[in-house]
């Protein structure tokens, strides 16, 4: 019934199995990939004909994690998987990016790749397995795909590169890098690093590229046994259309791309396009070509004009040379009520970035296959349509917003203070108010400034820069700080973020069939120079974190109590902790290890809550002096609340140095008094004294010497 084919290899110390022919046989291609005990099924379906009038390649990649893969039931009311999580969206993009450039030019049939995690061993990350499975499925499907693509994760532990490190070792790694590519070249890089040098980053990319070569060989062997016949597809010959468009538009387009202002340049290009359409489709005349083909060729001609100018003259659209960064203005403290804010402007790209500090209650719970965890650093990126002078839908973030936000998150995360040193939840929101090239890197710069403005003690200021590539044959030019047009019309989007000490994040996407080590080396070198220049410009606004938190930011005091006291502090049904919060006005968060975080914008409220919690969790000290409140007067003495909820008795003989006839002659209920803890009687009752303490100052009266000593603070 089944025609099963398998390839098995040993890869980085674990077995990788690629199998086809048993599951999802109606798809154009389907591969079940198993690495360790992590299993992913990837399927490919591509329509036989494109939709009429479609002028782009509609490729969709969906990565989905099923809760059953880790033996879990989904959380939430409906108990089933719903909209994609942030991680699923990010992995979908991770798979899409190296696959998209390898489809044959001109192919426009609707194509969908679906990768589903069926089993997760909590050791091997399913993202690499999914990318390998998707590549194999495409290679078997018969669609015009110039693969296969391989992928690997690279760690850097104790000065050594590690291929496909397991999840439990990633905490020891200074690098989390994913690289994908073909036999000959690299197509995609995604990474987070702890201020590593450019040489180490380049070495990691090449190490990963060498590391996935056996996977490519295994996919080829599987394809030799199980691949479908290639589809009969020949890219359309558009040379005649291109010649006609160039004849009409070349000179005007060259002039248009000398205009440095973005909106004016777009108007000029639109005018040239109208000229071409009027010439080739005259009113009442016979059309020589199809409109869709002319529109597609016009875009290609635009790209060629820009590329020829750069390669021939070394001059770019806005008149810069290859390495110059656009003018930068960095400002901080714009918003009076925000905890931290910054406006970062680079040329026609601008990010308004706002930092907000919160408490443990504000942490994000993340329900992942590997388990639920809490995240205390959130970075949200928004790209409203007005930033590019357009109208558009406003709603929940799309894949692009999630991807750009995560890229900036990776860049900043390595320089954040440790949680126990800075116990705040941090949320950053980047609103892109203008865009013309690399708003994600503007977000990195703005985030660094906004956090420092909020008083977050970053290890180092961090900046990001986007590099581009123009490659024709053996000639190439690497561009520093690319414009939007250079991104769309170029061959590479290479983003590098980091400090003056090293790289914290590297992302690369290639639109051609890969780039070489030589090009990456040049790009990393130029990116470092550009990054240092941007950091210097940022320093004009702020050099390091402000010494104090903003006026409106919460203060947090953190301390520990014995774990066996946690229940007493919380109380039955949370009664005690609710009372503390209500009466002091401070937030109190208690963790399982006994760590207590008390927060408020008012230091007095923090002190009151801290003293209350400590009074419950700690025992009063013998011979210490405390301030208390008289809660009840009896014939034989007064009861004083002196240590949280703890009361003690001041016997009538301990009320004053002289003999007291009546308790109420000395104290009244509700009165504040100073008491010294003398000890405990045979029944465990607390014995207090007022007569040995100066009630005006709280200092102990030394009977023998007649002098006074300072009271111990009542902690």
């Amino acid at each position: 019934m089944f025609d099963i084919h398998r390839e098995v290899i040993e890869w980085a110390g674990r077995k990788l199995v690629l199998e086809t022919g048993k599951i999802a046989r109606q798809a154009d291609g389907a591969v079940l990939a198993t690495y360790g005990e992590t299993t992913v099924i990837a399927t490919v379906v591509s329509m036989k004909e494109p939709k009429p009038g479609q002028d782009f390649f509609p490729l969709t990649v969906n990565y989905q994690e099923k809760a059953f893969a880790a033996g879990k039931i989904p959380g939430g009311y409906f108990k089933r998987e719903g909209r994609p999580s942030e991680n699923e969206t990010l992995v979908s993009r991770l798979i899409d990016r190296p696959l998209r450039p390898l489809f044959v030019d001109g192919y426009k049939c609707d194509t969908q790749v679906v990768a589903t995690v069926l089993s997760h061993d909590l050791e091997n990350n399913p993202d690499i397995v999914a990318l390998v499975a998707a590549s194999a499925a495409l290679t078997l499907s018969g669609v015009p795909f110039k693969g296969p693509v391989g992928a690997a994760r690279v760690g850097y532990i104790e000065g050594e590169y590690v291929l496909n490190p397991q999840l439990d070792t990633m905490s020891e790694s200074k690098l989390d890098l994913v690289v994908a590519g073909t036999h000959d070249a690299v197509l995609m890089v995604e990474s987070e690093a702890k201020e590593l040098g450019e040489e180490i980053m380049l070495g990691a990319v090449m190490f990963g590229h060498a590391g996935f070569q056996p996977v490519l060989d295994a996919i080829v062997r599987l394809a030799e046994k199980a691949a479908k016949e290639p589809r009969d597809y020949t890219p359309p010959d558009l040379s005649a259309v291109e010649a006609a468009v160039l004849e009409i538009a070349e000179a005007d387009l060259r002039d248009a791309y000398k205009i440095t202002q973005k909106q004016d340049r777009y108007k000029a290009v639109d005018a040239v396009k109208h000229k071409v359409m009027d010439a080739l489709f005259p009113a009442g005349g016979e059309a020589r070509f199809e409109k869709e083909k002319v529109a597609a060729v016009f875009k290609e001609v635009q790209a060629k004009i820009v590329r020829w100018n750069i390669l021939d003259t070394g001059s770019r659209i806005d008149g810069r040379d290859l390495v110059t960064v656009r003018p930068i203005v960095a400002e901080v403290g714009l918003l009076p009520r925000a905890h931290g804010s910054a406006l970062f402007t680079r040329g026609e790209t601008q990010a308004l970035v706002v930092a907000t500090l919160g408490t443990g209650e504000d942490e994000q719970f993340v329900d992942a296959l590997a388990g639920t965890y809490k995240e205390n650093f959130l970075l949200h990126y928004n790209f409203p349509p007005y930033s590019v002078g357009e109208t558009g839908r406003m709603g929940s973030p799309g894949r692009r917003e999630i991807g750009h936000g995560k890229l900036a998150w990776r860049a900043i995360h390595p320089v954040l203070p440790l949680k126990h040193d800075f116990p705040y939840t941090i949320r950053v929101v980047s609103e892109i108010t203008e865009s013309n090239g690399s708003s994600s890197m503007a977000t990195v710069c703005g985030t660094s400034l906004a956090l420092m403005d909020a008083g977050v003690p970053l290890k180092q200021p961090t900046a990001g820069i986007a590099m581009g590539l123009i490659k024709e044959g053996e000639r190439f030019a690497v561009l520093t700080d690319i414009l939007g047009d250079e991104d769309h019309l170029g061959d590479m989007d290479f983003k590098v973020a980091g400090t003056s000490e090293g790289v914290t994040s590297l992302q690369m996407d290639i639109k051609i069939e890969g780039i070489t080590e030589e090009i990456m080396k040049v790009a990393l070198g130029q990116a470092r120079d550009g990054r240092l220049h941007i950091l210097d410009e940022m320093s004009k606004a702020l050099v390091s974190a402000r010494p104090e938190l903003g006026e409106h930011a919460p203060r947090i005091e953190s301390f520990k109590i014995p774990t066996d006291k946690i229940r007493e502090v919380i109380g039955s049904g949370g009664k005690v902790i609710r009372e503390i919060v209500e009466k002091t006005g401070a937030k109190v968060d208690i963790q399982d290890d006994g760590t207590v975080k008390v927060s408020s914008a008012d230091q007095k409220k923090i002190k009151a809550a801290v003293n209350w919690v400590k009074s419950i969790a700690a025992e009063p000290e013998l011979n210490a002096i405390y301030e208390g409140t008289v809660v009840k007067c009896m014939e034989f003495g007064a009861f004083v609340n002196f240590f949280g909820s703890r009361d003690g008795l001041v016997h009538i003989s301990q009320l004053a140095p002289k003999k007291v006839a009546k308790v109420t002659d000395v104290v009244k209920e509700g009165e504040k008094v100073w008491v010294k803890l003398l000890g405990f009687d045979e029944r465990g009752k607390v014995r207090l004294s007022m007569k040995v303490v100066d009630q005006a100052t709280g200092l102990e009266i030394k009977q023998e010497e007649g002098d006074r000593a300072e009271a111990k603070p009542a902690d």
Side-chain angles (χ1 to χ4, degrees), residues 279-539:
L280 296 181
F281 303 97
E286 185 178 349
R288 295 167 55 191
F289 310 107
E290 297 175 24
K291 280 192 176 182
E292 292 81 4
K293 290 181 178 179
V294 172
V297 167
F298 186 80
K299 291 181 182 178
E300 295 296 323
V301 168
Q302 281 181 260
K304 288 184 177 181
I305 294 295
V306 173
R307 297 161 68 89
W308 292 342
N309 280 343
I310 291 172
L311 290 173
D312 293 340
T313 69
S315 179
R316 295 158 63 179
I317 295 172
D318 58 359
R320 284 182 293 153
D321 60 22
L322 302 183
V323 298
T324 299
V325 179
R326 287 171 289 172
I328 291 171
V329 177
E331 305 168 69
V332 295
L334 283 80
L335 307 178
R337 298 291 297 187
H339 299 164
S341 60
L343 184 69
F344 181 84
T345 308
R346 187 192 61 243
E348 295 176 302
T349 295
Q350 187 179 76
L352 176 62
V353 186
V354 184
T356 306
L357 303 181
T359 66
E361 293 181 355
D362 301 308
E363 290 181 326
Q364 174 75 59
F365 280 85
V366 181
D367 188 16
L369 279 185
T372 300
Y373 65 93
K374 292 193 287 186
E375 180 58 65
N376 71 324
F377 174 45
L378 313 172
L379 197 156
H380 298 143
Y381 166 102
N382 298 312
F383 192 87
Y386 67 76
S387 64
V388 288
E390 297 177 357
T391 60
R393 183 184 66 86
M394 299 284 286
S396 57
R399 286 190 174 192
R400 182 180 184 277
E401 283 80 7
I402 292 172
H404 280 34
K406 189 64 175 181
L407 173 58
W409 186 95
R410 291 191 179 105
I412 296 294
H413 185 246
V415 300
L416 290 175
L418 297 176
K419 189 175 179 181
H420 64 263
D421 295 329
F422 192 77
Y424 289 86
T425 297
I426 303 170
R427 183 189 184 223
V428 174
V429 178
S430 175
E431 297 287 340
I432 303 304
T433 49
E434 295 180 24
S435 181
N436 185 13
S438 194
S439 54
S440 62
M441 294 297 96
T443 294
V444 172
C445 302
T447 297
S448 178
L449 290 167
L451 289 175
M452 292 193 294
D453 184 50
V456 179
L458 299 183
K459 296 174 186 176
Q460 296 271 359
T462 307
I465 190 165
M467 315 297 293
L469 173 70
I470 304 296
K471 188 175 185 297
E472 295 283 352
E474 296 300 313
R475 292 201 303 163
F476 71 88
V478 175
L479 315 178
T480 296
D481 180 25
I482 55 174
L483 300 170
D485 285 340
E486 290 169 340
D487 183 6
H488 300 318
L489 306 178
D491 298 320
M492 175 180 76
D493 187 8
F494 190 95
K495 296 171 181 173
V496 187
T499 68
S500 59
E501 302 299 317
V503 175
T504 56
S505 182
L506 169 63
Q507 184 187 84
M508 183 182 73
D509 290 307
I510 300 297
K511 300 174 188 177
I512 53 179
E513 294 178 30
I515 63 170
T516 63
E517 182 178 1
E518 177 194 3
I519 294 175
M520 277 190 286
K521 189 172 184 179
V522 172
L524 281 167
Q526 280 186 216
R528 185 177 189 278
D529 294 340
R531 184 173 81 247
L532 294 178
H533 168 76
I534 295 172
L535 285 168
D536 186 54
E537 293 296 310
M538 289 166 56
S539 70

Side-chain angles (χ1 to χ4, degrees), residues 246-265:
L246 275 172
E247 182 180 354
I248 301 166
E250 182 175 358
D252 291 338
L253 277 177
R254 286 185 183 275
D255 290 338
Y257 278 106
K258 291 177 183 176
I259 300 172
T260 58
Q261 209 280 330
K262 176 183 171 183
Q263 297 298 335
D264 293 342
R265 181 171 63 251

Side-chain angles (χ1 to χ4, degrees), residues 168-228:
D168 59 355
T169 64
M170 286 306 296
S171 60
E172 307 166 25
S173 180
K174 292 185 176 181
L175 175 67
D176 182 3
L177 180 143
V178 174
V179 56
T182 60
H183 275 293
D184 302 319
V186 174
L187 285 163
M188 184 274 293
V189 177
E190 183 75 60
S191 66
E192 178 184 335
K194 295 181 179 177
E195 295 185 279
L196 298 179
E198 280 76 9
E199 303 81 9
I200 295 175
M201 297 298 293
L202 180 58
V205 172
M206 302 320 296
F207 177 82
H209 182 257
F212 64 63
Q213 296 301 314
V215 177
L216 293 171
D217 295 336
I219 294 174
V220 170
R221 290 194 298 271
L222 185 66
E224 289 172 347
K225 295 184 288 187
K228 294 182 178 178

Side-chain angles (χ1 to χ4, degrees), residues 101-216:
L102 295 185
F103 284 86
V104 173
D105 289 342
Y107 187 71
K108 294 184 174 61
C109 295
D110 202 344
T111 302
Q112 185 176 36
V113 177
V114 179
T116 306
V117 181
L118 303 179
S119 175
H120 185 18
D121 58 11
L122 308 185
E123 293 180 350
N124 299 288
N125 199 317
D127 56 1
I128 296 296
V129 186
L131 209 164
V132 168
S135 169
L138 272 168
T139 305
L140 301 184
S141 68
V143 303
F145 175 70
K146 296 177 284 186
V149 169
R153 173 171 269 102
V154 179
Y156 191 67
I157 302 174
E158 296 181 353
E160 299 288 337
Y161 296 122
V162 180
L163 186 65
N164 293 342
Q166 294 185 326
L167 290 174
D168 59 355
T169 64
M170 286 306 296
S171 60
E172 307 166 25
S173 180
K174 292 185 176 181
L175 175 67
D176 182 3
L177 180 143
V178 174
V179 56
T182 60
H183 275 293
D184 302 319
V186 174
L187 285 163
M188 184 274 293
V189 177
E190 183 75 60
S191 66
E192 178 184 335
K194 295 181 179 177
E195 295 185 279
L196 298 179
E198 280 76 9
E199 303 81 9
I200 295 175
M201 297 298 293
L202 180 58
V205 172
M206 302 320 296
F207 177 82
H209 182 257
F212 64 63
Q213 296 301 314
V215 177
L216 293 171

